[in-house]
Amino acid sequence: MTPRKSRADRRLDLIEAARRAVIRHGIEGVHLNHVAEEAGLTSGAVLYHYPDLGELLVEAHHASTERFYEQRLRQISKITDPREKLVVTIRSGLPTGPLDPDVRLLNELGGAAGRNRIYGLLLTTLYDRQVSMYQSILDTGAALGVFTLVDEPLTVARNLVALEDAYGYRITARHPTIGPDEATELILSYARGMTGCPLK
């Protein structure tokens, strides 16, 4: 007999189901029954755990943003060399390929951000946190004499995140000549020019 899932586990399942439903139907086209179908539950069962569909969609968004901020911070916290830290941060900020679910979900939210204040705020917060992450690496590298910055750290950090976003979108849009490896090299090329450092 399969053990019953805890309430916390069921909520995690629903977050994953909501992510799949958003990717399939779009953030503004997804309905309660879509999430229920993805979860293999009734609409009532979904409402039992999440009475507000909007709250569930925000939770689904947070699950995707965690990868691009919290997980990256944990990954680079073990690295002391600012050069390696910058390269790892750049590599981990791009989709794994056109079907990357986290980036596809963020793209959906980005399309609705101009019409939905909450989605706009969530994406702005993610952007600002990523900029802060990059700026900290750049500041440390400059202070140690590893980087010779051509521009203000904040400007470089903002551009690095903007490049991640732009190339991430191209990858999920299946650009014929820009995949994860090509995008990584393009962003590293910019970072080399801004830091005066042969990053690889």
Side-chain angles (χ1 to χ4, degrees), residues 17 44 59 114 144 159 163 191:
E59 289 286 339
L144 293 174
N159 284 330
L163 287 169

Side-chain angles (χ1 to χ4, degrees), residues 22-121:
V22 168
I23 291 169
R24 186 184 301 268
H25 301 284
I27 190 67
E28 294 178 314
V30 70
H31 298 293
L32 177 63
N33 62 305
H34 297 142
V35 177
E37 183 182 343
E38 290 289 341
L41 298 171
T42 64
S43 294
V46 176
L47 288 174
Y48 173 76
H49 294 281
Y50 282 98
D52 180 0
L53 178 61
E55 179 192 350
L56 175 55
L57 295 178
V58 168
E59 289 286 339
H61 169 272
H62 179 72
S64 290
T65 62
E66 180 184 2
R67 167 180 158 194
F68 292 104
Y69 181 69
E70 285 95 343
Q71 287 183 20
R72 290 164 94 188
L73 272 186
R74 288 194 293 272
Q75 186 177 11
I76 64 175
S77 67
K78 304 165 188 166
I79 302 170
T80 55
D81 185 343
R83 291 164 292 200
E84 183 184 352
K85 193 171 279 199
L86 184 55
V87 171
V88 168
T89 303
I90 289 170
R91 290 189 189 284
S92 61
L94 290 165
T96 56
L99 300 179
D100 189 308
D102 293 318
V103 179
R104 290 178 68 194
L105 179 59
L106 291 176
N107 287 346
E108 284 291 336
L109 290 167
R115 297 178 296 278
N116 185 303
R117 185 181 62 81
I118 293 174
Y119 296 153
L121 178 61

Side-chain angles (χ1 to χ4, degrees), residues 102-192:
D102 293 318
V103 179
R104 290 178 68 194
L105 179 59
L106 291 176
N107 287 346
E108 284 291 336
L109 290 167
R115 297 178 296 278
N116 185 303
R117 185 181 62 81
I118 293 174
Y119 296 153
L121 178 61
L122 290 169
L123 288 175
T124 297
T125 300
L126 174 61
Y127 172 81
D128 289 342
R129 294 171 87 190
Q130 289 175 303
V131 168
S132 175
M133 177 175 61
Y134 270 116
Q135 186 175 358
S136 174
I137 297 168
L138 294 166
D139 283 336
T140 301
L144 293 174
V146 175
F147 298 153
T148 303
L149 298 178
V150 174
D151 209 337
E152 291 298 317
L154 177 59
T155 300
V156 178
R158 284 175 170 167
N159 284 330
L160 285 168
V161 179
L163 287 169
E164 276 184 14
D165 291 345
Y167 285 124
Y169 179 78
R170 295 294 153 221
I171 292 167
T172 57
R174 300 177 186 274
H175 191 285
T177 61
I178 299 177
D181 292 340
E182 292 80 9
T184 297
E185 183 52 38
L186 287 164
I187 299 173
L188 282 172
S189 177
Y190 169 76
R192 290 183 197 110

